[in-house]
Amino acid sequence: MTRIKSMPAAFLAAFAAALSAGSACAAPDLKVALIAGKTGALEAYAKETETGFMMGLEYLTGGKMEINGRKIKVIVKDDQGKPDLGRTLLAEAYGDDKVDIAVGTTSSGSALAMLPVAKEYKKVLIVEPAVADEITGSKWNKYIFRTARSSMQDALAAASTFKQGSVGFLTQDYAFGRDAVKAAKEALAATGSKAVVVHEEYAPAASTDFTAPTQRIFDALKDKPQPRVLQIVWAGPNPLTKVANMKPERYGIAVAPGGNILPVMKTWKAYAGTEGTIFYYYGFPKNKMNDWLVAEHIKRYKMPPDMFTAGGMAAAGAVVAALQKVPNANGDQMAAAMEGMSFETPKGTMSFRKEDHQALQTMYHFRIKKDQKNEWDLLELVREIPVADMPLPVKNKR
């Protein structure tokens, strides 16, 4: 009798376990779209972003690539840096692929084109690595969050190193470059710097000859108050070497390059002592996530992680934190939950500011090393620039 009575209970327990296993198997994947400019001038940035994003998901899920038992499926799309294609691919991701959340993209022009699509589909878009201020400014909507730094954050970091003197800019003639110079002027005023921007040169994005614009900057700066600084803001192959070859020191002019990817910066060895600002260099942050990223990246790729690798990993941190907070991935609920949300990145903890969803983050003042131990031992830290030293204005129309 005891055995007969126990059989139904055992059967029910086994049946319940089978149902539970079946439900787990049936749990739909969490779909994430990663849109990047994998073809074109910024393909190196896009490749790094994708590598960092995938490594970030791996690290944050302990290698399981799942959240709450649901597998993460990443759908990668190449917008080639073209705004029309970026807009189309994001609509395809939300509409046809039914992704829960999207990340992208490399070009600011393409990212700006994507913003209204997120609003139309009421789905979150995490912007990485595009930097145009309009993304979290005049073109912003409540579904937009940015893990990348903004042009204004770059400018505020640089402005913190310019206390006085005269500044000339060499940059690219498109949204990124013009946004950067506009932000720089505002940043100098915001930080109380007495430095004055005396000249701006906007060269075609694909320029290889910088003789004429550089000479015009020299002519504008050479009689102005010291210190005289030629600030280079450039995406892609950097013109530092060609500018330095024109010997700006003849006019008492120092060159201040913005940080760049490692393959570019390792060509700067001849400019030891030159200073600039950067949003990530693998040797600067001290935390467990960065330690893991550096060690694993060197093991897998025989070189340290780069700026946009760290950016991709930061975006992964935001994606994982958001999906943990809102497992059903409802766009409105997720947008609300992500306001003020903190998440882990290789730079340490970041938080999305409630007002405009811009990730607030530290920056770094660097000096090019004189004694470099190996091909990737490039920079030394002058100062970590805390969020408190960068009074980032809110520019959206919320």
Side-chain angles (χ1 to χ4, degrees):
M1 286 296 292
T2 303
R3 184 179 181 187
I4 292 171
K5 287 181 178 179
S6 65
M7 284 179 65
F11 176 78
L12 286 173
F15 183 64
L19 279 177
S20 176
S23 297
C25 291
D29 291 341
L30 288 166
K31 294 182 180 180
V32 183
L34 175 63
I35 300 174
K38 298 178 67 174
T39 305
L42 303 180
E43 62 183 82
Y45 298 3
K47 182 180 179 181
E48 289 181 7
T49 302
E50 183 178 355
T51 297
F53 187 72
M54 299 306 295
M55 290 184 73
L57 293 178
E58 177 186 348
Y59 175 83
L60 292 161
T61 63
K64 294 181 179 180
M65 297 298 281
E66 62 180 39
I67 299 173
N68 297 327
R70 296 175 63 184
K71 290 292 184 182
I72 302 170
K73 180 180 180 181
V74 180
I75 301 171
V76 181
K77 297 176 182 287
D78 177 13
D79 69 1
Q80 302 174 33
K82 299 176 181 178
D84 288 347
L85 185 54
R87 181 169 50 243
T88 298
L89 292 177
L90 184 60
E92 178 183 278
Y94 289 142
D96 298 340
D97 300 322
K98 306 297 182 186
V99 301
D100 297 293
I101 191 169
V103 176
T105 183
T106 317
S107 162
S108 286
S110 186
L112 285 165
M114 289 162 58
L115 306 187
V117 180
K119 184 177 182 180
E120 178 186 350
Y121 283 88
K122 297 183 178 181
K123 287 284 187 179
V124 167
L125 170 65
I126 295 175
V127 177
E128 176 67 48
V131 300
D133 283 327
E134 289 178 304
I135 291 168
T136 44
S138 61
K139 305 298 185 183
W140 175 89
N141 65 69
K142 76 172 188 177
Y143 302 99
I144 305 305
F145 292 78
R146 176 159 53 188
T147 50
R149 89 289 185 198
S150 64
S151 288
M152 191 63 181
Q153 283 170 304
D154 277 346
L156 287 164
S160 73
T161 70
F162 296 153
K163 302 302 182 185
Q164 58 187 9
S166 310
V167 184
F169 277 92
L170 174 62
T171 189
Q172 288 156 308
D173 191 10
Y174 76 108
F176 164 74
R178 293 191 172 275
D179 218 37
V181 173
K182 180 183 176 183
K185 292 177 178 178
E186 294 179 14
L188 290 170
T191 57
S193 173
K194 295 181 180 179
V196 177
V197 177
V198 300
H199 193 76
E200 306 153 31
E201 282 291 332
Y202 299 93
S207 292
T208 56
D209 183 356
F210 301 96
T211 305
T214 299
Q215 188 59 53
R216 286 193 290 269
I217 296 173
F218 288 175
D219 291 342
L221 280 174
K222 64 184 181 182
D223 297 319
K224 295 297 188 293
Q226 286 276 20
R228 302 175 190 131
V229 178
L230 193 167
Q231 177 77 34
I232 300 173
V233 182
W234 204 270
N238 196 281
L240 172 62
T241 299
K242 292 184 178 181
V243 171
N245 286 342
M246 292 180 66
K247 301 189 181 304
E249 63 274 13
R250 291 178 295 154
Y251 305 104
I253 297 171
V255 178
N260 212 302
I261 57 176
L262 294 173
V264 172
M265 292 196 298
K266 77 173 187 176
T267 67
W268 295 354
K269 291 182 180 180
Y271 314 113
T274 298
E275 296 184 11
T277 52
I278 194 168
F279 73 90
Y280 175 85
Y281 175 71
Y282 70 92
F284 292 167
K286 304 299 179 185
N287 59 71
K288 288 183 179 180
M289 181 182 277
N290 193 59
D291 290 347
W292 181 89
L293 174 61
V294 173
E296 283 298 312
H297 200 279
I298 291 173
K299 181 166 45 172
R300 298 177 193 186
Y301 302 104
K302 312 305 178 188
M303 66 175 287
D306 216 334
M307 297 195 299
F308 298 104
T309 322
M313 199 172 195
V319 166
V320 170
L323 290 172
Q324 287 173 335
K325 279 181 171 287
V326 187
N328 67 4
N330 176 277
D332 289 306
Q333 293 176 24
M334 188 176 286
M338 290 174 69
E339 289 195 344
M341 183 182 81
S342 295
F343 53 99
E344 295 309 307
T345 83
K347 292 175 65 175
T349 302
M350 290 186 191
S351 299
F352 287 125
R353 185 164 62 176
K354 291 183 178 181
E355 292 83 357
D356 60 0
H357 304 173
Q358 172 62 52
L360 302 180
Q361 55 196 283
T362 57
M363 305 285 270
Y364 307 95
H365 179 183
F366 70 82
R367 182 182 296 116
I368 298 174
K369 280 187 172 184
K370 180 178 181 180
D371 298 316
Q372 299 181 4
K373 298 175 183 177
N374 57 62
E375 66 175 329
W376 303 117
D377 182 32
L378 309 174
L379 308 179
E380 61 185 3
L381 181 64
V382 176
R383 183 174 76 99
E384 185 174 291
I385 306 169
V387 170
D389 285 6
M390 295 178 285
L392 184 67
V394 176
K395 292 188 173 183
N396 62 10
K397 298 177 181 178
R398 187 171 191 170

